[in-house]
Amino acid sequence: MSSFSDVEGVWSERLGNLRNAVRQQVIRHQLLDHTAAVRTALDVGCGQGTQAIELAANGIEVTGVDPSRPLLDQLTATANDRGVRVETFQGTLDDLDRLVGERTYDLVTAHGLLMYLDDARAAVAQLASKVAGGGTLSVTFRNGEALAYRPGLRRQWKQALAAFDATTYVNELGADAQAHTLDDVTAWCEESGLRVERWYGVRVLTDGASADEMPDQESLADCIAAELEAGRRDPYRRLGSQLHVIARAAGWDRDVVRSA
């Protein structure tokens, strides 16, 4: 499915750092703005289940798919502690038809997945095939137009210069990954019968934080508030480490807009 399996242990060790706390909380706030009519959700690449559990806690029937049994076990344990239920399947994006059959969902999410896949365009089509009529697709991806921003913040000038025209990068976990542009993902959504309704920046102001920096709990709420503002406003959102796209399938009767 991806190169993520090679760095899964590092990922788990860093779940509590500032970078992950900001990313997870910002995506959660952005996503919940689009779940008022959602009854069922499919989270592909759900990992330890941060978003899946929050969706379930809001009364949504959630199915999570991930290739990692340890992460799925962690999801189940956390869900039990929260008093919610998430249906889980061990598998990859390519296993969806086998795992869930012809079921479609009001909401399909894939956060932090596309950068690890060889063919992100095909992945968007696979995800879109599981979106019910009028339903929503939520994806995040590495912002290919801001690859120089993080090394620039860290004063890593050679890395910044090399990043300007790059389409690949080595991420903070040490894994090779792919970057994409908003235009790319918008076009792939449209090819799959979806229209982009909103898009946001994720981790705009804190992307220069180091992997071992832990969140200051006293100021974290203010940090998240600032990140949410930056993530919805131009020009800041265009500098997000990741971009978060919300796309709607045909059957939605509301005017569709491409930006906040």
Side-chain angles (χ1 to χ4, degrees):
M1 179 178 178
S2 74
S3 59
F4 179 78
S5 59
D6 298 331
V7 295
E8 182 183 315
V10 181
W11 160 262
S12 296
E13 292 172 0
R14 296 181 179 177
L15 280 174
N17 70 9
L18 178 65
R19 296 173 56 80
N20 271 299
V22 168
R23 184 179 62 84
Q24 296 284 9
Q25 291 199 40
V26 166
I27 291 172
R28 175 171 62 86
H29 283 286
Q30 293 168 346
L31 182 60
L32 289 177
D33 285 342
H34 301 273
T35 58
V38 171
R39 296 183 179 179
T40 61
L42 173 67
D43 188 358
V44 182
C46 60
Q48 77 286 350
T50 302
Q51 305 303 332
I53 291 168
E54 290 296 333
L55 292 170
N58 279 271
I60 297 170
E61 181 183 321
V62 183
T63 298
V65 174
D66 197 272
S68 170
R69 173 48 56 190
L71 290 179
L72 290 176
D73 290 344
Q74 184 178 342
L75 183 162
T76 300
T78 305
N80 289 339
D81 289 342
R82 290 279 301 272
V84 300
R85 180 182 181 276
V86 176
E87 178 184 40
T88 61
F89 293 107
Q90 184 176 7
T92 71
L93 180 67
D94 293 330
D95 297 321
L96 287 185
D97 286 340
R98 175 178 62 85
L99 296 174
V100 303
E102 297 182 359
R103 291 166 60 185
T104 57
Y105 300 81
D106 299 331
L107 172 68
V108 175
T109 68
H111 301 138
L113 174 64
L114 296 185
M115 62 276 288
Y116 292 111
L117 305 181
D118 292 331
D119 191 344
R121 178 182 182 180
V124 170
Q126 288 175 286
L127 294 164
S129 72
K130 297 303 178 185
V131 179
T136 298
L137 174 66
S138 169
V139 295
T140 66
F141 54 94
R142 184 67 168 98
N143 182 5
E145 295 182 322
L147 285 180
Y149 189 49
R150 181 188 302 161
L153 289 174
R154 295 175 176 175
R155 300 191 178 190
Q156 298 168 338
W157 308 122
K158 290 184 179 180
Q159 292 94 319
L161 285 168
F164 279 111
D165 296 314
T167 58
T168 62
Y169 66 105
V170 178
N171 68 13
E172 294 287 280
L173 303 175
D176 294 328
Q178 306 283 330
H180 306 99
T181 69
L182 180 63
D183 286 345
D184 288 337
V185 177
T186 298
W188 299 338
C189 287
E190 290 178 348
E191 290 173 2
S192 300
L194 308 176
R195 295 187 65 191
V196 173
E197 183 177 68
R198 297 284 293 271
W199 67 272
Y200 307 90
V202 176
R203 205 166 56 213
V204 178
L205 304 176
T206 54
D207 196 44
S210 66
D212 59 359
E213 183 173 345
M214 301 303 290
D216 175 356
Q217 295 301 322
E218 292 185 2
S219 62
L220 184 59
D222 289 338
C223 173
I224 298 300
E227 283 282 1
L228 287 170
E229 283 301 314
R232 66 170 61 102
R233 293 174 180 247
D234 285 325
Y236 306 102
R237 62 179 176 166
R238 293 187 175 276
L239 294 174
S241 170
Q242 294 186 27
L243 298 184
H244 182 190
V245 161
I246 303 290
R248 186 77 63 175
W252 188 250
D253 60 2
R254 185 167 80 176
D255 289 341
V256 174
V257 295
R258 288 179 180 261
S259 62

